[in-house]
């Protein structure tokens, strides 16, 4: 019997446009972020990843960094999921995964690599059941970031039981054995892929993972980010998609 994820992948390969009713919104205001912090709390608590807290919110020191982008994924105008995309290079070196796995990530940054680190992927459980494509639509933001910032490596920070899914669907291989992050009670590990090597195979299977230059600019170029953007624009824009 096929898994739910496997069945969703097959359906996505046949579906013309799973993004038809999806809207990505960058969380900018305190109100936007607070709504996502509470979604994180409810999702993590539901899956037993955290203990209850009086604040009923999950945030960390990486949420307000210039190289972090917090997105809400809305379907028909309703918040379904969220993900944070951190963009790393030799100058911008802080993210959740870099903090957990400095021995693996920092040497790659020292070599001049650009790394996309999507973390804090959470979804409303009830809404996710109504929209099986939600995991794919949400993690797509990592692929959009990889194209926009000419990434060398795309990461996923996942629990051990989810590694097989990321390997099968997104061609990401285990990179770091599970470790505990402060506030979580379940360990998470790294999976990674060399983006230029796998991008065409992923796009061939899931064409909706592609993005236009206009979409990339709308999602990842914020007012006041000139210094951050310049640190990536010095690299030739050799990757499109």
């Amino acid at each position: 019997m096929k898994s739910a994820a496997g069945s969703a992948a097959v359906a996505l390969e046949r579906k013309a446009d799973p993004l038809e009713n999806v809207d990505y919104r960058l969380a900018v205001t305190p109100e936007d972020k607070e709504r996502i912090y509470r979604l994180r709390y409810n999702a993590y608590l539901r899956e037993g990843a955290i203990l209850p807290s009086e604040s009923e919110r999950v945030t960390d020191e990486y949420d307000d960094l210039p190289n972090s982008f917090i997105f809400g994924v809305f379907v028909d105008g309703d918040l379904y999921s969220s993900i944070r995309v951190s963009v790393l290079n030799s100058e911008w070196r802080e993210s959740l995964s870099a903090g957990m796995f400095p021995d693996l990530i920092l040497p790659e940054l020292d070599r001049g690599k650009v790394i996309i680190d999507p973390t804090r992927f959470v979804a409303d459980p009830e809404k996710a059941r109504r929209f099986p494509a939600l995991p794919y639509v949400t993690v797509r933001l990592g692929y959009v970031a990889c194209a926009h910032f000419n990434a060398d490596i795309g990461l996923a920070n996942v629990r051990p039981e989810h590694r097989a899914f990321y390997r099968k669907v997104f061609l990401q291989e285990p990179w770091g054995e599970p470790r505990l992050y402060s506030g979580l009670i379940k360990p998470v590990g790294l999976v990674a892929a060399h983006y230029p090597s796998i991008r065409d195979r992923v796009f061939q299977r899931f064409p909706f993972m592609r993005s236009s230059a206009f979409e990339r600019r709308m999602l990842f170029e914020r007012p006041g980010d000139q210094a951050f953007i310049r640190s990536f624009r010095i690299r030739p824009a050799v990757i499109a998609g």
Side-chain angles (χ1 to χ4, degrees):
M1 181 180 295
K2 291 183 178 179
S3 67
S7 299
V10 172
L12 276 171
E13 291 178 74
R14 299 169 181 169
K15 185 173 175 61
D17 186 11
L19 301 172
E20 183 177 1
N21 300 310
V22 172
D23 183 23
Y24 297 127
R25 301 182 191 175
L26 185 64
V28 177
T29 68
E31 293 77 14
D32 293 337
K33 293 182 178 181
E34 188 65 27
R35 189 176 181 187
I36 286 172
Y37 299 159
R38 292 188 179 277
L39 174 64
R40 289 177 183 172
Y41 176 81
N42 291 330
Y44 285 147
L45 189 65
R46 178 78 172 260
E47 65 185 25
I50 60 172
L51 297 173
S53 71
E54 290 186 4
S55 69
E56 297 187 346
R57 64 203 295 272
V58 171
T59 182
D60 60 34
E61 65 267 34
Y62 306 108
D63 278 326
D64 293 319
L65 293 180
N67 65 320
S68 291
F69 299 80
I70 303 172
F71 291 98
V73 179
F74 290 76
V75 180
D76 293 323
D78 199 7
L79 178 63
Y80 270 52
S81 65
S82 175
I83 196 168
R84 179 178 64 202
V85 178
S86 297
V87 186
L88 306 176
N89 66 5
S90 58
E91 181 177 351
W92 302 91
R93 304 167 66 88
E94 292 185 80
S95 74
L96 191 152
S97 294
M100 291 182 66
F101 299 91
D103 52 320
L104 300 177
I105 293 176
L106 298 188
E108 297 295 334
L109 300 179
D110 291 338
R111 296 183 187 105
K113 300 293 180 64
V114 173
I115 299 177
I116 301 300
D117 181 24
T119 57
R120 297 299 192 192
F121 172 23
V122 294
D124 182 296
E126 301 300 328
K127 295 172 183 174
R129 277 194 283 271
R130 301 199 300 266
F131 187 32
L134 187 62
Y136 303 85
V137 166
T138 306
V139 301
R140 176 180 178 268
L141 284 161
Y143 283 84
V144 177
C146 282
H148 187 62
F149 294 101
N150 297 317
D152 300 290
I153 299 170
L155 302 178
N157 193 306
V158 301
R159 295 207 305 270
E161 60 268 29
H162 295 158
R163 289 196 298 188
F165 168 75
Y166 280 83
R167 181 176 184 176
K168 180 178 180 180
V169 176
F170 301 117
L171 308 178
Q172 291 175 305
E173 299 288 345
W175 196 20
E177 289 304 307
R179 302 176 186 179
L180 273 174
Y181 175 68
S182 177
L184 297 181
I185 58 178
K186 290 185 176 182
V188 292
L190 278 185
V191 295
H194 180 245
Y195 174 72
S197 299
I198 60 93
R199 59 184 291 274
D200 288 340
R201 283 182 286 167
V202 172
F203 290 165
Q204 184 176 11
R205 188 177 183 192
F206 304 113
F208 69 91
M209 290 287 183
R210 294 181 179 274
S211 57
S212 68
F214 176 76
E215 181 186 21
R216 295 193 290 270
R217 289 195 302 270
M218 292 298 293
L219 290 173
F220 290 104
E221 293 190 6
R222 299 171 297 198
D225 270 0
Q226 287 82 3
F228 171 69
I229 293 297
R230 276 199 302 271
S231 72
F232 291 89
R233 287 296 176 261
I234 60 174
R235 305 180 76 242
V238 296
I239 299 176

